[in-house]
Amino acid sequence: MTISQYLKLIKILIYAYFIVLLIQQICVLTGLPIFTAHENYTAAEPWKLNSLSLEPSHTARFVPLLMYSFLTVKETILNRQYSLGKDFKTDKSIWVTFLYTMITMGSGTAFLFLPIVLLKFIRGKNIVLLVVLSLALWFIVQQISPQTMKRTTDTFFATLTLNENKIIEVDGSASYRIVPTMLVLKNIGLTTFNDWFGHGIDSTDALVRPIMSAAFGDRVLGGGEFLLWYEYGFISFLLFALFGFFVCYRKGDFLSIIFWFFLVLMYGINQQPPWICMMLLYANKIYAKKYAKK
């Protein structure tokens, strides 16, 4: 693909997530069966919708990654930094689509990744504009989805306690990702044979299940990329962590490190987020290099 075709593909994907989410919201509003509903959809949280992903939290990760890729590629084409003041009017539809999806999908994860995208515009005179925009978005979210915002805040503070049971109590969905990683981190090191060469395949399950099974039954997994460390040893973990980092990292782009941390390092290798993250960030880097203006 040319860089223009790649940019068009990214825009199509962002629009597709928005359109499917809108269809789902219409289904909720009219009482129709939810189109492509995720398996854990519940009427207790009717507006927590997954759009095109396996679950809402995946959409909350994929759409910001796509938007970040859109901005990165647009900068390559323009041969300058993306400016909200100069470029928003041209890209107004994609911005409205992105913000609508993030704010109304009902996932607390969206309120973590939305600010990450906005960090791209922290540049001198833009700081005041970003503060105003952030406050406006916070107010809108509070009006549209106060429970989701509260759950996100409560989960953040519960995580700071490092108390697994408290995190599960506050938000079962978030704890499904946070708690296993915490448990694995507490049981890895560099001082034993098993630390270097692993405890063996599926050993994480025996570590995590006693804590998580009461809330999730037999459907227990997790530990992020640190699962590699616990099951296969530090050497395997280090090799994959470095591979993921150098695939994602683009010189001078600190946000690529943030995406690598949240979507590669904090995920297991047999899940979608790390691979879509590595594919998109690597593609962004290749296009930036290929089309760099001399």
Side-chain angles (χ1 to χ4, degrees):
M1 291 186 291
T2 64
I3 192 170
S4 297
Q5 291 171 327
Y6 177 57
L7 184 68
K8 184 177 180 181
L9 175 62
I10 292 172
K11 291 175 67 175
I12 289 171
L13 290 172
I14 295 173
Y15 286 132
Y17 272 99
F18 162 74
I19 291 168
V20 173
L21 176 65
L22 200 59
I23 293 171
Q24 289 180 327
Q25 291 172 336
I26 292 171
C27 290
V28 173
L29 197 61
T30 58
L32 293 170
I34 310 300
F35 176 67
T36 68
H38 61 105
E39 61 177 6
N40 295 319
Y41 176 80
T42 170
E45 296 181 290
W47 301 104
K48 191 173 182 179
L49 301 163
N50 60 310
S51 187
L52 281 173
S53 299
L54 179 67
E55 56 184 78
S57 64
H58 281 194
T59 295
R61 291 165 168 81
F62 295 160
V63 173
L65 178 62
L66 286 165
M67 188 64 188
Y68 166 76
S69 296
F70 169 82
L71 296 171
T72 301
V73 175
K74 196 71 184 286
E75 286 180 336
T76 300
I77 293 173
L78 296 171
N79 194 33
R80 61 170 170 79
Q81 290 183 319
Y82 191 95
S83 169
L84 283 174
K86 293 180 181 178
D87 302 312
F88 179 81
K89 188 174 181 180
T90 304
D91 300 323
K92 182 166 58 177
S93 61
I94 200 75
W95 273 107
V96 171
T97 298
F98 165 67
L99 292 173
Y100 180 90
T101 302
M102 297 297 290
I103 292 171
T104 68
M105 64 175 296
S107 172
T109 305
F111 305 129
L112 168 65
F113 279 87
L114 178 56
I116 292 175
V117 175
L118 297 181
L119 282 175
K120 190 169 181 61
F121 302 102
I122 293 184
R123 298 192 293 263
K125 60 182 180 181
N126 287 339
I127 294 178
V128 175
L129 176 62
L130 281 175
V131 171
V132 173
L133 178 61
S134 298
L135 290 173
L137 289 173
W138 178 83
F139 177 78
I140 292 170
V141 170
Q142 284 283 53
Q143 302 306 309
I144 294 175
S145 187
Q147 289 184 338
T148 302
M149 178 63 81
K150 183 179 184 303
R151 190 173 67 244
T152 303
T153 305
D154 290 346
T155 301
F156 173 75
F157 286 110
T159 302
L160 294 180
T161 69
L162 301 180
N163 186 317
E164 294 88 357
N165 293 320
K166 187 173 182 62
I167 299 169
I168 293 172
E169 180 185 341
V170 169
D171 189 338
S173 176
S175 70
Y176 191 71
R177 293 163 184 81
I178 298 170
V179 172
T181 301
M182 286 176 54
L183 291 170
V184 171
L185 282 171
K186 289 179 179 180
N187 287 274
I188 55 177
L190 294 171
T191 59
T192 69
F193 180 87
N194 286 338
D195 287 334
W196 285 89
F197 299 100
H199 293 76
I201 189 169
D202 292 336
S203 55
T204 304
D205 186 70
L207 180 69
V208 172
R209 189 177 296 276
I211 299 292
M212 301 294 291
S213 60
F216 297 98
D218 291 333
R219 192 172 56 85
V220 177
L221 52 85
E225 198 171 303
F226 298 102
L227 178 148
L228 274 178
W229 189 334
Y230 188 78
E231 294 193 356
Y232 300 98
F234 176 71
I235 295 173
S236 296
F237 162 79
L238 182 63
L239 289 173
F240 188 78
L242 289 174
F243 165 74
F245 179 83
F246 287 113
V247 163
C248 295
Y249 175 66
R250 186 165 60 96
K251 187 177 180 181
D253 183 7
F254 75 96
L255 287 183
S256 62
I257 301 176
I258 296 177
F259 278 110
W260 166 79
F261 177 82
F262 282 112
L263 297 183
V264 180
L265 190 65
M266 301 307 292
Y267 262 92
I269 63 173
N270 290 329
Q271 295 175 283
Q272 298 100 324
W275 296 103
I276 188 62
C277 179
M278 286 189 284
M279 285 191 290
L280 284 175
L281 294 185
Y282 187 70
N284 297 344
K285 182 163 60 173
I286 291 300
Y287 280 111
K289 183 179 180 179
K290 181 177 179 181
Y291 288 86
K293 300 295 188 298
K294 304 298 183 184

